[in-house]
Amino acid sequence: MSKKPFVSKEKLDEIAAQYATPFYLYDETAIRETARRVNKAFAWNQGFKEYFAVKATPNPAILKILHEEGCGADCSSYTELQMADAVGFKGDEIMFSSNATPAEDFQLARQLNVTINLDDITHIDFLEKVADIPDTVSCRYNPGGHFAIANNIMDNPGDAKYGMTREQMTEAYKILLSKGVKHFGMHAFLASNTVTNDYYPELARILFQVAVELKEETGAHIEFINLSGGVGIPYRPDQEGNDIMVIGEGVRQAFEDILVPAGMGDVKIFTEMGRYMLAPYGALVAKAIHVKHTYKEYIGLDACAANLMRPAMYGSYHHITVMGKEDAPCDHKYDITGGLCENNDKFAIDRMLPEINIGDLLFIHDAGAHGFAMGYNYNGKLRSAEVLLKEDGSTELIRRAETPADYFATFDFTGLFKNI
Ligand SMILES: *Cc1c(COP(=O)(O)O)cnc(C)c1O
């Protein structure tokens, strides 16, 4: 089985002639289609909103597309708040789901009047001290233990730094009520990159149950329940992807079973997906610049782990298409490497691919979320450009590549690099 790039070889040759490799390429058509499908899957819920996790793909042009499709923005830091604000997201179109939050971040969140999702019970006092407590506050829940679906352990919330215990949720709501909060939210993120249609529905059942209890215990008005991120994508060609329509229907059933009978049919459902919204619709495009034969066969690219860290950091699989050789036999075994002085700088290890020649373009799939965003400057490597393939087939540079002057910019006070 294989994955098909969202761009033809001819088109990519044309784009690569205009923008130097490596670069990220995003597919506007598919991004819009996905946002529309998500909104359709949850259209049964009055007030549903997908708050795109800005950290996944922090680019204003991408955020603007999602804003046009009715999405909000989920921010976790000062600069993410600034970016969402600059793009035009206003007030409750922004969710602030942070942790270990600096005072300045809460202050900006209050200034922009965004919805704040508190990670810890102690953040109530902290927020009150550094800013003030708004009318609407959300609390992040961590049930502890293991999170399992049909006896399969998906993740280990008990080891995760996020969220409040069950007892703390009740206590937090009571404290917030005493401080005048009128509307409440609940949030939890219990498993990452789930490739099953059951994750959101299972999570929803847990959260809906706790929401009913919290309402009974405290009398709080629960306005929204935020299922956060964690809906995954099939990185491997033999995996089957999630069906967001089935997921939306599963959440609807949990809603009908638990919230409606408790008189809570007005609760809004929010999501904060990053990966599902963007990962398949962005690719890292790089050129083969070296062929090396030692104890193994190596292909050296002009991109490296500083451009896409997931394989080096998590051992993640990213499918690779050698452009123009889609139908050639995969009869060569390669390590596909970048140029970092780090032996884990490999996009693929022992990967069967068609024969690769110097100058071939490689399309590294599923890099549209947590790809460019996790880039770094190790070894003095520079961040690449980001290019948008628009609906009409034209392209737009949505971030220029870094230059050496950008790399040296934080030494500007020294005067050492002013001629670079
Ligand atoms: C990272 C993150 C997300 C997005 O996660 P995905 O796996 O990309 O869906 C959403 N909410 C919060 C609070 C996060 O930290």
Coordinates of all heavy atoms in Angstrom, one line a residue, residues 126-195:
F126 N -3.4 32.2 41.8 CA -2.3 32.8 41.0 C -3.0 33.7 40.0 O -2.5 34.9 39.8 CB -1.5 31.7 40.3 CG -0.3 32.2 39.5 CD1 0.9 32.5 40.1 CD2 -0.4 32.3 38.1 CE1 2.0 32.9 39.4 CE2 0.7 32.8 37.4 CZ 1.9 33.1 38.1
L127 N -4.0 33.3 39.3 CA -4.7 34.1 38.3 C -5.3 35.3 38.9 O -5.2 36.5 38.4 CB -5.8 33.3 37.5 CG -6.6 34.0 36.5 CD1 -5.8 34.6 35.4 CD2 -7.7 33.1 36.0
E128 N -5.9 35.1 40.1 CA -6.5 36.3 40.8 C -5.5 37.3 41.2 O -5.7 38.5 41.1 CB -7.3 35.8 42.0 CG -8.1 36.9 42.7 CD -9.0 36.3 43.8 OE1 -8.6 35.4 44.5 OE2 -10.2 36.8 43.8
K129 N -4.3 36.8 41.6 CA -3.3 37.7 42.0 C -2.6 38.5 40.9 O -2.4 39.7 41.0 CB -2.2 36.9 42.7 CG -1.3 37.7 43.6 CD -0.4 36.9 44.5 CE 1.0 36.8 43.9 NZ 1.7 35.5 44.1
V130 N -2.4 37.8 39.7 CA -1.7 38.5 38.6 C -2.6 39.2 37.7 O -2.2 40.1 37.0 CB -0.8 37.5 37.8 CG1 0.2 36.8 38.8 CG2 -1.6 36.4 37.1
A131 N -3.9 38.8 37.7 CA -4.9 39.5 36.8 C -6.2 39.6 37.6 O -6.3 40.3 38.6 CB -5.0 38.8 35.5
D132 N -7.2 38.9 37.1 CA -8.5 38.8 37.9 C -9.2 37.5 37.3 O -8.8 36.9 36.4 CB -9.3 40.0 37.7 CG -9.7 40.2 36.2 OD1 -9.1 39.6 35.3 OD2 -10.6 41.0 35.9
I133 N -10.3 37.2 38.0 CA -11.0 36.0 37.6 C -12.2 36.4 36.7 O -13.0 37.2 37.1 CB -11.5 35.3 38.9 CG1 -10.4 35.0 39.9 CG2 -12.3 34.0 38.5 CD1 -9.7 33.8 39.7
P134 N -12.2 35.8 35.5 CA -13.3 36.2 34.6 C -14.6 35.4 35.0 O -14.7 34.6 35.9 CB -12.8 35.7 33.2 CG -11.8 34.6 33.5 CD -11.2 34.9 34.9
D135 N -15.7 35.8 34.2 CA -17.0 35.2 34.5 C -17.1 33.7 34.1 O -17.8 32.9 34.6 CB -18.1 35.9 33.6 CG -18.5 37.2 34.2 OD1 -18.1 37.5 35.4 OD2 -19.2 37.9 33.5
T136 N -16.2 33.3 33.1 CA -16.2 32.0 32.6 C -14.8 31.4 32.8 O -13.8 32.0 32.4 CB -16.6 31.9 31.1 OG1 -17.8 32.5 30.9 CG2 -16.6 30.5 30.5
V137 N -14.8 30.2 33.4 CA -13.5 29.6 33.6 C -13.6 28.1 33.4 O -14.7 27.5 33.7 CB -13.0 29.8 35.1 CG1 -11.7 29.0 35.3 CG2 -12.7 31.2 35.4
S138 N -12.6 27.5 32.7 CA -12.6 26.1 32.5 C -11.5 25.4 33.4 O -10.5 26.1 33.7 CB -12.3 25.8 31.0 OG -12.1 24.4 30.8
C139 N -11.7 24.2 33.8 CA -10.7 23.4 34.5 C -10.4 22.2 33.8 O -11.2 21.5 33.3 CB -11.3 23.1 35.9 SG -11.6 24.5 37.0
R140 N -9.1 21.9 33.9 CA -8.6 20.7 33.2 C -8.5 19.5 34.1 O -8.0 19.6 35.2 CB -7.2 21.0 32.7 CG -6.6 19.8 31.8 CD -5.3 20.3 31.1 NE -4.8 19.2 30.2 CZ -3.9 19.4 29.3 NH1 -3.4 20.6 29.1 NH2 -3.5 18.4 28.6
Y141 N -9.1 18.4 33.7 CA -9.3 17.2 34.5 C -8.3 16.1 34.1 O -8.0 15.9 33.0 CB -10.8 16.7 34.4 CG -11.1 15.4 35.0 CD1 -10.7 15.2 36.4 CD2 -11.7 14.4 34.4 CE1 -11.0 14.0 37.0 CE2 -12.1 13.2 35.0 CZ -11.7 13.0 36.3 OH -12.0 11.8 36.9
N142 N -7.8 15.5 35.2 CA -6.9 14.3 35.0 C -7.4 13.2 35.9 O -7.3 13.3 37.1 CB -5.5 14.7 35.3 CG -4.5 13.5 35.0 OD1 -4.9 12.3 35.1 ND2 -3.2 13.8 34.8
P143 N -8.0 12.1 35.3 CA -8.6 11.1 36.1 C -7.5 10.1 36.7 O -7.9 9.3 37.5 CB -9.5 10.3 35.1 CG -8.9 10.6 33.8 CD -8.2 11.9 33.8
G144 N -6.3 10.3 36.4 CA -5.2 9.4 36.9 C -5.3 8.0 36.3 O -6.0 7.8 35.4
G145 N -4.5 7.1 36.8 CA -4.5 5.8 36.4 C -4.1 5.6 34.9 O -3.4 6.4 34.3
H146 N -4.7 4.6 34.3 CA -4.5 4.3 32.9 C -5.8 4.7 32.1 O -6.9 4.5 32.7 CB -4.2 2.9 32.6 CG -2.9 2.4 33.2 ND1 -1.7 3.0 32.8 CD2 -2.6 1.6 34.2 CE1 -0.7 2.4 33.4 NE2 -1.2 1.6 34.3
F147 N -5.6 5.1 30.9 CA -6.8 5.3 30.0 C -6.8 4.2 29.0 O -5.9 4.0 28.2 CB -6.7 6.7 29.3 CG -7.9 6.9 28.4 CD1 -9.1 7.2 28.9 CD2 -7.7 6.8 27.0 CE1 -10.2 7.4 28.0 CE2 -8.8 7.0 26.2 CZ -10.0 7.3 26.7
A148 N -7.9 3.4 29.1 CA -8.0 2.2 28.2 C -9.3 2.2 27.4 O -10.3 2.8 27.9 CB -7.9 0.9 29.1
I149 N -9.2 1.7 26.2 CA -10.4 1.5 25.4 C -10.4 0.0 25.1 O -9.5 -0.6 24.5 CB -10.3 2.3 24.1 CG1 -10.3 3.8 24.4 CG2 -11.5 1.9 23.2 CD1 -10.2 4.7 23.1
A150 N -11.5 -0.7 25.5 CA -11.7 -2.1 25.4 C -10.4 -2.9 25.8 O -9.9 -3.7 25.1 CB -12.0 -2.4 23.9
N151 N -10.0 -2.5 27.0 CA -8.8 -3.2 27.7 C -7.5 -2.9 27.0 O -6.5 -3.4 27.5 CB -9.0 -4.7 27.7 CG -10.1 -5.1 28.7 OD1 -10.3 -4.5 29.7 ND2 -10.8 -6.1 28.3
N152 N -7.5 -2.1 26.0 CA -6.2 -1.6 25.4 C -5.8 -0.3 26.1 O -6.5 0.7 26.0 CB -6.3 -1.3 23.9 CG -6.4 -2.6 23.1 OD1 -5.8 -3.6 23.5 ND2 -7.2 -2.6 22.1
I153 N -4.6 -0.4 26.8 CA -4.1 0.8 27.4 C -3.7 1.8 26.3 O -2.8 1.5 25.5 CB -3.0 0.5 28.4 CG1 -3.6 -0.2 29.6 CG2 -2.4 1.8 28.9 CD1 -2.6 -0.6 30.7
M154 N -4.3 3.0 26.3 CA -4.0 4.0 25.3 C -2.9 4.9 25.8 O -2.1 5.4 25.0 CB -5.2 4.8 24.9 CG -6.5 4.0 24.6 SD -6.3 3.3 22.9 CE -6.3 4.8 21.9
D155 N -3.0 5.2 27.1 CA -2.1 6.2 27.6 C -2.1 6.1 29.2 O -2.9 5.4 29.7 CB -2.3 7.6 27.1 CG -1.1 8.4 26.8 OD1 -0.1 8.3 27.5 OD2 -1.0 9.1 25.8
N156 N -1.3 6.9 29.8 CA -1.1 6.8 31.2 C -1.3 8.2 31.9 O -0.3 8.8 32.3 CB 0.3 6.3 31.4 CG 0.6 5.8 32.8 OD1 -0.3 5.9 33.7 ND2 1.8 5.2 33.0
P157 N -2.6 8.6 32.0 CA -2.8 10.0 32.6 C -2.2 10.1 34.0 O -1.8 11.3 34.4 CB -4.3 10.1 32.7 CG -4.8 9.1 31.7 CD -3.8 8.0 31.6
G158 N -2.1 9.0 34.8 CA -1.6 9.1 36.1 C -0.1 9.6 36.2 O 0.3 10.1 37.2
D159 N 0.6 9.5 35.0 CA 1.9 9.9 35.0 C 2.1 11.3 34.3 O 3.2 11.8 34.1 CB 2.8 8.9 34.1 CG 3.4 7.9 35.0 OD1 3.4 8.0 36.2 OD2 4.0 6.9 34.4
A160 N 0.9 11.8 33.9 CA 1.0 13.1 33.1 C 0.9 14.3 34.0 O 0.2 14.3 35.0 CB -0.2 13.1 32.1
K161 N 1.6 15.3 33.7 CA 1.7 16.5 34.5 C 0.4 17.4 34.5 O 0.3 18.3 35.3 CB 2.9 17.4 34.1 CG 2.8 18.0 32.7 CD 4.0 18.9 32.4 CE 3.9 19.5 31.0 NZ 4.8 20.5 30.8
Y162 N -0.4 17.1 33.6 CA -1.6 18.0 33.3 C -2.8 17.7 34.2 O -3.1 16.6 34.6 CB -2.0 17.8 31.9 CG -0.9 17.9 30.9 CD1 -0.5 16.8 30.2 CD2 -0.3 19.1 30.6 CE1 0.5 16.9 29.3 CE2 0.7 19.2 29.7 CZ 1.1 18.1 29.0 OH 2.1 18.2 28.1
G163 N -3.5 18.8 34.5 CA -4.9 18.6 35.0 C -5.0 18.4 36.5 O -4.0 18.3 37.2
M164 N -6.2 18.4 37.0 CA -6.6 18.3 38.4 C -7.2 16.9 38.7 O -7.8 16.3 37.8 CB -7.6 19.4 38.8 CG -7.2 20.8 38.3 SD -8.4 22.0 38.9 CE -8.1 23.3 37.8
T165 N -7.0 16.5 39.9 CA -7.7 15.2 40.3 C -9.2 15.4 40.4 O -9.7 16.6 40.4 CB -7.2 14.8 41.7 OG1 -7.6 15.7 42.7 CG2 -5.6 14.7 41.8
R166 N -9.9 14.3 40.6 CA -11.3 14.4 40.7 C -11.8 15.3 41.8 O -12.7 16.1 41.7 CB -11.9 13.0 40.8 CG -13.4 12.9 40.9 CD -14.1 13.4 39.7 NE -15.5 13.5 39.9 CZ -16.0 14.6 40.6 NH1 -15.3 15.6 41.0 NH2 -17.3 14.6 40.8
E167 N -11.1 15.1 43.0 CA -11.5 15.9 44.2 C -11.2 17.4 44.0 O -11.9 18.2 44.4 CB -10.7 15.4 45.4 CG -11.0 14.0 45.9 CD -10.5 12.9 44.9 OE1 -9.4 13.2 44.3 OE2 -11.1 11.8 44.8
Q168 N -10.0 17.6 43.4 CA -9.7 19.0 43.1 C -10.6 19.7 42.2 O -10.9 20.9 42.3 CB -8.2 19.1 42.5 CG -7.2 18.8 43.6 CD -5.8 18.7 42.9 OE1 -5.6 18.4 41.7 NE2 -4.7 18.9 43.7
M169 N -11.2 18.9 41.2 CA -12.2 19.5 40.3 C -13.4 20.1 41.1 O -13.8 21.3 40.9 CB -12.7 18.5 39.3 CG -11.7 18.1 38.2 SD -11.3 19.4 37.1 CE -12.7 19.6 36.0
T170 N -13.9 19.3 42.0 CA -15.0 19.8 42.8 C -14.6 21.0 43.6 O -15.3 22.0 43.7 CB -15.5 18.7 43.8 OG1 -15.8 17.5 43.0 CG2 -16.7 19.1 44.6
E171 N -13.5 20.9 44.3 CA -13.0 22.0 45.1 C -12.7 23.3 44.3 O -13.1 24.4 44.7 CB -11.6 21.5 45.8 CG -11.1 22.4 46.8 CD -12.0 22.7 48.0 OE1 -12.9 21.8 48.2 OE2 -11.9 23.7 48.7
A172 N -12.2 23.1 43.1 CA -11.9 24.2 42.2 C -13.2 24.9 41.8 O -13.3 26.2 41.8 CB -11.1 23.8 41.0
Y173 N -14.2 24.1 41.4 CA -15.5 24.7 41.0 C -16.1 25.5 42.2 O -16.6 26.6 42.0 CB -16.4 23.6 40.6 CG -16.4 23.3 39.1 CD1 -15.2 23.3 38.4 CD2 -17.6 23.0 38.4 CE1 -15.1 23.0 37.1 CE2 -17.5 22.7 37.0 CZ -16.3 22.7 36.4 OH -16.3 22.4 35.0
K174 N -16.0 24.9 43.4 CA -16.5 25.6 44.6 C -15.8 27.0 44.9 O -16.4 28.0 45.1 CB -16.4 24.7 45.9 CG -17.5 23.6 45.9 CD -17.4 22.8 47.1 CE -18.4 21.7 47.2 NZ -18.1 20.7 48.2
I175 N -14.5 26.9 44.8 CA -13.7 28.2 45.0 C -14.1 29.2 43.9 O -14.3 30.4 44.2 CB -12.2 27.9 45.0 CG1 -11.8 26.9 46.1 CG2 -11.4 29.2 45.1 CD1 -10.4 26.4 46.0
L176 N -14.1 28.7 42.7 CA -14.4 29.7 41.6 C -15.8 30.2 41.7 O -16.0 31.4 41.5 CB -14.3 28.9 40.2 CG -12.8 28.7 39.8 CD1 -12.7 27.6 38.7 CD2 -12.1 29.9 39.4
L177 N -16.8 29.4 42.2 CA -18.1 29.9 42.4 C -18.1 31.0 43.5 O -18.8 32.1 43.3 CB -19.1 28.8 42.9 CG -19.7 27.9 41.8 CD1 -20.2 26.6 42.4 CD2 -20.7 28.7 41.0
S178 N -17.3 30.8 44.5 CA -17.3 31.8 45.6 C -16.6 33.1 45.2 O -16.8 34.1 45.8 CB -16.5 31.2 46.8 OG -15.1 31.2 46.5
K179 N -15.8 33.0 44.1 CA -15.2 34.2 43.5 C -16.0 34.8 42.4 O -15.5 35.7 41.7 CB -13.8 33.8 43.0 CG -12.8 33.5 44.2 CD -11.4 33.2 43.7 CE -10.5 32.7 44.8 NZ -10.3 33.6 45.9
G180 N -17.2 34.3 42.2 CA -18.2 35.0 41.3 C -18.2 34.4 39.9 O -18.9 35.0 39.0
V181 N -17.5 33.3 39.6 CA -17.6 32.7 38.3 C -19.0 32.2 38.0 O -19.6 31.6 38.9 CB -16.6 31.5 38.2 CG1 -16.7 30.8 36.9 CG2 -15.2 32.1 38.3
K182 N -19.5 32.5 36.8 CA -20.9 32.1 36.4 C -21.0 30.9 35.5 O -22.0 30.2 35.5 CB -21.5 33.4 35.8 CG -21.7 34.5 36.8 CD -22.5 35.7 36.2 CE -22.6 36.8 37.2 NZ -21.3 37.4 37.6
H183 N -20.0 30.8 34.6 CA -20.1 29.7 33.6 C -18.8 28.9 33.7 O -17.7 29.4 33.8 CB -20.3 30.3 32.2 CG -21.4 31.3 32.2 ND1 -22.7 30.9 32.3 CD2 -21.4 32.6 32.1 CE1 -23.5 32.0 32.3 NE2 -22.7 33.0 32.2
F184 N -19.0 27.6 33.5 CA -17.8 26.7 33.7 C -17.6 25.8 32.4 O -18.5 25.5 31.7 CB -18.0 25.8 34.9 CG -17.9 26.5 36.2 CD1 -18.9 27.2 36.7 CD2 -16.7 26.4 36.9 CE1 -18.8 27.9 37.9 CE2 -16.6 27.0 38.1 CZ -17.6 27.8 38.6
G185 N -16.3 25.5 32.3 CA -15.9 24.5 31.3 C -15.1 23.4 31.9 O -14.6 23.5 33.0
M186 N -15.0 22.3 31.1 CA -14.2 21.2 31.6 C -13.4 20.7 30.4 O -13.9 20.8 29.3 CB -15.1 20.0 31.9 CG -15.5 19.9 33.3 SD -16.5 18.4 33.4 CE -15.3 17.1 33.4
H187 N -12.2 20.2 30.7 CA -11.3 19.9 29.6 C -10.5 18.6 30.0 O -10.2 18.5 31.2 CB -10.4 21.1 29.4 CG -9.2 20.9 28.5 ND1 -8.0 20.2 28.9 CD2 -8.9 21.3 27.2 CE1 -7.2 20.2 27.9 NE2 -7.7 20.8 26.9
A188 N -10.2 17.8 29.1 CA -9.2 16.7 29.4 C -8.6 16.2 28.1 O -9.2 16.2 27.1 CB -9.9 15.5 30.1
F189 N -7.3 15.8 28.2 CA -6.5 15.3 27.1 C -5.9 14.0 27.6 O -4.9 14.1 28.4 CB -5.5 16.3 26.7 CG -4.8 16.0 25.4 CD1 -4.2 17.1 24.6 CD2 -4.7 14.7 24.9 CE1 -3.5 16.8 23.4 CE2 -4.0 14.5 23.7 CZ -3.5 15.5 23.0
L190 N -6.4 12.8 27.3 CA -6.0 11.6 27.9 C -5.2 10.7 27.1 O -4.5 9.8 27.6 CB -7.2 10.8 28.5 CG -8.1 11.6 29.5 CD1 -9.1 10.7 30.1 CD2 -7.3 12.3 30.6
A191 N -5.1 10.9 25.7 CA -4.3 10.0 24.9 C -4.0 10.8 23.6 O -4.8 11.5 23.1 CB -5.0 8.7 24.6
S192 N -2.8 10.5 23.1 CA -2.3 11.3 21.9 C -2.3 10.4 20.7 O -2.1 9.2 20.8 CB -0.9 11.8 22.3 OG -0.5 12.8 21.4
N193 N -2.5 11.0 19.5 CA -2.4 10.3 18.2 C -3.2 9.0 18.2 O -2.7 8.0 17.8 CB -1.0 10.1 17.8 CG -0.9 9.6 16.3 OD1 -1.8 10.0 15.5 ND2 0.1 8.9 16.0
T194 N -4.5 9.1 18.7 CA -5.3 7.8 18.7 C -5.8 7.5 17.3 O -6.4 8.4 16.7 CB -6.5 8.0 19.7 OG1 -7.2 9.2 19.3 CG2 -6.0 8.2 21.1
V195 N -5.6 6.3 16.9 CA -6.1 5.9 15.6 C -7.2 4.9 15.9 O -7.1 3.7 15.7 CB -5.0 5.4 14.6 CG1 -5.6 5.2 13.2 CG2 -3.9 6.3 14.6

